[in-house]
Amino acid sequence: MQKEVTNAEIVIMSADIAVLFLAATLGGLLNHLGPKGEEKEEEKIEPEEVARLKEAYEQLKGIFKMAGTLAQLDSSQVLEAMLDVGLAGFEATGRRDEGPVGIVFLPQETPEGDRLYVAASRYLDREDEALLIEGKAGLAGKIIESAEPLMGGELKDDPELGQFSSLQKCQSAVGVPLRAEGAVYGLLLFASPESHAYTTEFMESLAVYCDQAVIALQNAEQYQGLHQEKERIIDRQEQARQKLMYNLRKGPLQTIKTMAIRLGRARALLTQDPQGGARELAKLEGLMRQTVKGLRTLLFTFRPTTLENEGLAAALERYVQQMEEPKPAIHLDIAKLGDRLSPKVSGVVFSIIEEAIANAREHAEANNIFVQVSLQDNLFLAQIQDDGKGFYTYAEELAEESLDGLGLSTIESWARSINGNVNITSIVGRGTTVTLTVPLPG
């Protein structure tokens, strides 16, 4: 796993990198001035040397600015910071024509295979921004294969980089692999129309900086991924809320309003026409049962986002954690399911277990509820057992109305929707066991 560092550690490391860049830059300048540098203090400094000093100064300012940028959790800012490292001095001079080019290449999956695309660039022609490279030939291929920084000469004949019109006039280049988890994550390239524009010191310092920049980039991408997932969850929850409100207004709320009106009518009939009032109450009882069934079906369609994102085990654990009452205690024993359950089966199984637990909590007067989930070859097995008061399950004793009242007929219909089977056993005074079996593809 990629090592993660804190923002403070990134800033400290980046400051150290800034010192390396300073040493490399000043070392190059001292070599350029030569051993007679002291005598030159009395002479007039050449304009070219002034420009180089200014470029080094601006580059150093840029490096220290990078230290703060690497602590950001914005991948685009990190990418721009990587380009600023090699171009800070050049951009400060105001020269834009015939200047160096900076490109950050990152991996992208395509129908033809893995490619490197232009994730960020500076002074690259617009038509070049859409180009892809394989990273297997030329300078880019050598850098990726060796996983080491390299310098190169002119690029017009490079088998991969030569397709970029912006690089046709470049006479020197330096490339650094973006390394992560022991593999090459991408490539940072700078190319200049000047010959020998880059030094070994610059290349080595750039490589140190890029190693830390990749960590910052991956941390930023992870953060953005989590943020996007959070936004998707919030959006799904809002959509579910809107759908629930619509379905409640359209169905149960309208039915309840009708029932309230008819209850008033039945009450009036009971004093004037008792038999007619009794018939109206019987109709209302049927309507109420139908409404309860509709509400159960409505709730069945709403499943926790944890189920979709983390699976059945996590969803059941979250459901139990949200229980406010300490009794009955709910004990979970869930085997590793892997990817054996499809999203549809997972959703129905969760609803059945949830309904069975709710029934036990409401009716069983139990102290404990035990939930066991396992796989037996190509058979999924879930068992919900309580130590409550139990009830008669003999056919002659258990009418259809009782099944509806306990939600058991609903559980059976849900099980049939996934080709499953539900078996309910109960002993008065000893509790109830609901067993769900679902055949799985081999």
Side-chain angles (χ1 to χ4, degrees):
M1 181 178 291
Q2 178 64 35
K3 178 184 177 183
E4 294 187 5
V5 296
T6 64
N7 290 353
E9 290 172 332
I10 293 176
V11 171
I12 292 170
M13 288 185 289
S14 301
D16 293 339
I17 295 165
V19 174
L20 288 173
F21 263 87
L22 176 61
T25 305
L26 293 182
L29 287 173
L30 289 174
N31 289 334
H32 174 73
L33 292 174
K36 295 183 180 180
E38 295 181 1
E39 298 179 6
K40 284 195 173 186
E41 290 180 2
E42 300 178 359
E43 301 175 5
K44 183 179 179 181
I45 300 178
E46 296 295 329
E48 292 182 0
E49 293 175 1
V50 173
R52 292 193 65 180
L53 284 169
K54 183 177 180 181
E55 184 173 335
Y57 170 72
E58 293 296 334
Q59 193 173 61
L60 182 60
K61 279 176 41 179
I63 297 301
F64 277 103
K65 183 180 178 182
M66 296 317 118
T69 304
L70 285 185
Q72 300 296 320
L73 292 175
D74 186 334
S75 59
S76 62
Q77 290 187 19
V78 177
L79 292 173
E80 290 299 320
M82 295 168 72
L83 294 171
D84 288 341
V85 169
L87 300 173
F90 164 75
E91 292 178 340
T93 64
R95 295 174 291 153
R96 296 300 171 91
D97 298 332
E98 303 293 327
V101 175
I103 308 174
V104 180
F105 291 102
L106 292 180
Q108 178 182 8
E109 292 183 2
T110 70
E112 293 76 26
D114 293 338
R115 296 290 186 270
L116 293 173
Y117 77 101
V118 178
S121 65
R122 203 71 60 80
Y123 311 120
L124 191 69
D125 292 342
R126 185 174 296 274
E127 57 269 22
D128 287 345
E129 293 178 354
L131 295 178
L132 303 175
I133 64 172
E134 290 188 66
K136 296 181 179 179
L139 180 61
K142 292 177 181 177
I143 293 170
I144 292 175
E145 182 179 5
S146 65
E148 296 293 337
L150 292 174
M151 289 190 289
E154 61 180 359
L155 298 176
K156 66 178 181 179
D157 295 326
D158 187 279
E160 294 201 40
L161 299 176
Q163 64 178 313
F164 292 81
S165 61
S166 308
L167 303 179
Q168 289 292 317
K169 295 182 179 180
C170 291
Q171 299 299 308
S172 61
V174 59
V176 176
L178 305 180
R179 295 168 289 208
E181 301 178 0
V184 177
Y185 179 73
L187 171 67
L188 174 63
L189 178 75
F190 293 111
S192 172
E194 299 178 7
S195 299
H196 309 292
Y198 305 104
T199 64
T200 302
E201 292 86 352
F202 176 83
M203 179 182 69
E204 292 175 348
S205 301
L206 188 64
V208 175
Y209 173 83
C210 284
D211 285 342
Q212 307 309 323
V214 168
I215 296 175
L217 180 62
Q218 293 190 323
N219 285 343
E221 290 176 343
Q222 289 177 4
Y223 173 80
Q224 288 177 327
L226 290 172
H227 179 72
Q228 291 170 359
E229 181 61 25
K230 176 185 174 183
E231 292 298 318
R232 284 194 292 268
I233 291 173
I234 292 174
D235 184 58
R236 286 197 296 268
Q237 288 176 337
E238 178 59 22
Q239 290 178 3
R241 189 186 72 85
Q242 294 289 347
K243 183 178 180 181
L244 177 61
M245 292 298 296
Y246 173 78
N247 289 334
L248 283 173
R249 289 194 182 102
K250 184 181 69 173
L253 286 178
Q254 292 294 331
T255 305
I256 291 171
K257 288 179 182 179
T258 302
M259 288 168 58
I261 296 171
R262 293 179 63 174
L263 274 172
R265 179 184 172 189
R267 184 171 57 185
L269 282 173
L270 283 173
T271 58
Q272 301 172 8
D273 181 6
Q275 291 184 349
R279 286 193 297 271
E280 184 66 20
L281 286 175
K283 292 178 182 178
L284 280 173
E285 184 180 3
L287 185 59
M288 184 172 290
R289 290 185 182 281
Q290 186 178 1
T291 303
V292 170
K293 198 169 185 178
L295 282 170
R296 282 200 175 105
T297 302
L298 182 61
L299 292 173
F300 171 73
T301 63
F302 293 95
R303 296 158 190 168
T305 54
T306 309
L307 181 64
E308 179 181 346
N309 298 329
E310 302 177 42
L312 179 63
L316 288 172
E317 289 171 0
R318 183 70 56 84
Y319 170 68
V320 171
Q321 289 170 3
Q322 292 175 347
M323 300 287 185
E324 296 181 356
E325 298 84 358
K327 285 190 177 182
I330 301 176
H331 310 274
L332 296 179
D333 181 10
I334 304 175
K336 292 183 179 180
L337 303 175
D339 57 355
R340 294 297 305 277
L341 302 186
S342 68
K344 177 185 177 182
V345 171
S346 293
V348 175
V349 167
F350 176 84
S351 295
I352 290 174
I353 295 175
E354 181 184 38
E355 183 71 15
I357 292 174
N359 287 337
R361 293 179 68 211
E362 182 177 355
H363 303 290
E365 299 178 7
N367 292 317
N368 297 280
I369 299 174
F370 302 91
V371 179
Q372 187 175 27
V373 174
S374 61
L375 291 175
Q376 297 180 1
D377 297 327
N378 293 327
L379 189 69
F380 170 85
L381 175 66
Q383 193 172 73
I384 305 91
Q385 182 178 13
D386 67 69
D387 58 3
K389 62 183 182 181
F391 58 88
Y392 290 107
T393 57
Y394 298 108
E396 62 271 21
E397 298 288 345
L398 192 60
E400 183 67 25
E401 294 82 25
S402 299
L403 282 172
D404 279 339
L406 294 173
L408 300 179
S409 63
T410 302
I411 287 177
E412 291 176 341
S413 67
W414 289 347
R416 286 194 295 270
S417 71
I418 53 173
N419 298 320
N421 180 65
V422 169
N423 181 52
I424 301 167
T425 60
S426 185
I427 300 176
V428 174
R430 296 182 62 180
T432 302
T433 301
V434 177
T435 304
L436 168 68
T437 55
V438 183
L440 301 175

